[in-house]
Amino acid sequence: MAPPIRPAGSRLLRRYAGGHRQAVVCFHHAGGGMSAYRGWAQALAARADVLLVQLKGREDRVAEPLTDRLDDLVVELAREICELPYEDVVLVGHSMGASLAWAVADAIWAVYRRRARVVVSAQAPPPYAGRDLPGVPEVLGGPADDSADAAAPGPADGLHAGTLAADLAWIAREFPAFVPRALPVDLHCVLADRDHLVDPAAAAGWAALTTGRFTHRTVDGGHMYLLTDPAPLLALAGAVAGGDRTLQEVCVDQ
């Protein structure tokens, strides 16, 4: 078994480097942290480096409140990513992280004229202005067949609920200002068949935001399927990073 890869980089972007020219950048969900992608660096070690985004207000950054302006955060992430020596970058985001990943892809294109490939999971597409965004009860109170997803890890935990509330307040304050535009990037959309927060029609909305290749896959599970069964999203991220034929096996072109 290969030895574990040690992280480096900034407090915002943790880099698990194995010398690849490709990198997979992972953006976590509201209320969570980079530990949502635990094991991804090792799983993708033969194919790509892994960069984990760690926002303020959680895990080892719990003492730092998440008060950043979205546009400032996006520019900082785009700069840190583009300063690293990668020829290809895949941005993977789940729920809140999907919205953030798309905003970063927009900045990478606008500022650096680089085309990141993007994988969005369990999220509706922007724009978010005028929408009723979910609160803590809606996020934690899914239907019975989704309760196992919502409960991992421990939604009753006070710290987790507090972080989730702070993140949702940040989303409600910052996300409506983001005005999307179609980007010339490859975009891959993953939705869960029992997601009580995201309508299946979200795929069509994401498709309208790219002039590049678009694929869509529906997986089994609820909104937080990433925590209970990350295999589908991990396989897609690896296939996109590798640019190999397995991509045809894990998604459907639209």
Side-chain angles (χ1 to χ4, degrees), residues 25 27 74-75 77-82 89 91 101-117 181 183 185:
V25 187
F27 298 76
V74 163
V75 168
L77 280 164
R79 177 184 56 78
E80 287 203 25
I81 291 168
C82 289
V89 174
L91 309 180
W102 186 250
V104 170
D106 185 287
I108 288 175
W109 172 248
V111 177
Y112 300 95
R113 276 302 187 258
R114 291 183 58 182
R115 292 180 173 88
R117 287 170 286 171
R181 54 184 169 176
L183 299 179
V185 303

Side-chain angles (χ1 to χ4, degrees), residues 221-243:
H223 186 70
M224 294 309 301
Y225 79 89
L226 173 64
L227 300 183
T228 56
D229 184 14
L233 191 60
L234 177 58
L236 176 58
V240 174

Side-chain angles (χ1 to χ4, degrees), residues 22-226:
Q22 298 80 29
V24 175
V25 187
C26 301
F27 298 76
H28 59 74
H29 57 279
M34 67 180 192
S35 63
Y37 296 96
R38 183 184 294 110
W40 279 48
Q42 201 70 18
L44 296 174
R47 181 163 293 185
D49 288 2
V50 170
L51 312 178
L52 302 183
V53 173
Q54 181 78 316
L55 298 183
K56 298 174 182 176
R58 69 214 68 243
E59 298 176 350
D60 63 353
R61 303 193 71 185
V62 69
E64 306 171 67
L66 179 58
T67 57
D68 303 83
R69 287 174 52 89
L70 179 62
D71 53 356
D72 293 338
L73 176 62
V74 163
V75 168
E76 183 179 1
L77 280 164
R79 177 184 56 78
E80 287 203 25
I81 291 168
C82 289
E83 286 179 350
L84 293 170
Y86 296 115
E87 295 179 1
D88 298 302
V89 174
V90 181
L91 309 180
V92 181
H94 182 80
S95 193
M96 175 185 78
S99 299
L100 186 54
W102 186 250
V104 170
D106 185 287
I108 288 175
W109 172 248
V111 177
Y112 300 95
R113 276 302 187 258
R114 291 183 58 182
R115 292 180 173 88
R117 287 170 286 171
V118 188
V119 179
V120 294
S121 167
Q123 180 63 307
Y128 301 110
R131 292 191 190 177
D132 292 327
L133 299 174
V136 174
E138 290 80 13
V139 174
L140 296 184
D145 63 356
D146 193 34
S147 58
D149 289 345
D157 178 78
L159 181 60
H160 172 259
T163 303
L164 175 59
D167 285 354
L168 294 178
W170 181 74
I171 291 170
R173 183 176 69 250
E174 297 293 332
F175 279 30
F178 177 62
V179 179
R181 54 184 169 176
L183 299 179
V185 303
D186 290 349
L187 174 60
H188 306 275
C189 175
V190 182
L191 300 178
D193 59 4
R194 288 179 282 114
D195 191 335
H196 64 288
L197 296 178
V198 181
D199 190 284
W206 283 114
L209 289 178
T210 178
T211 59
R213 180 185 184 185
F214 177 78
T215 72
H216 166 227
R217 184 187 182 193
T218 301
V219 299
D220 179 57
H223 186 70
M224 294 309 301
Y225 79 89
L226 173 64

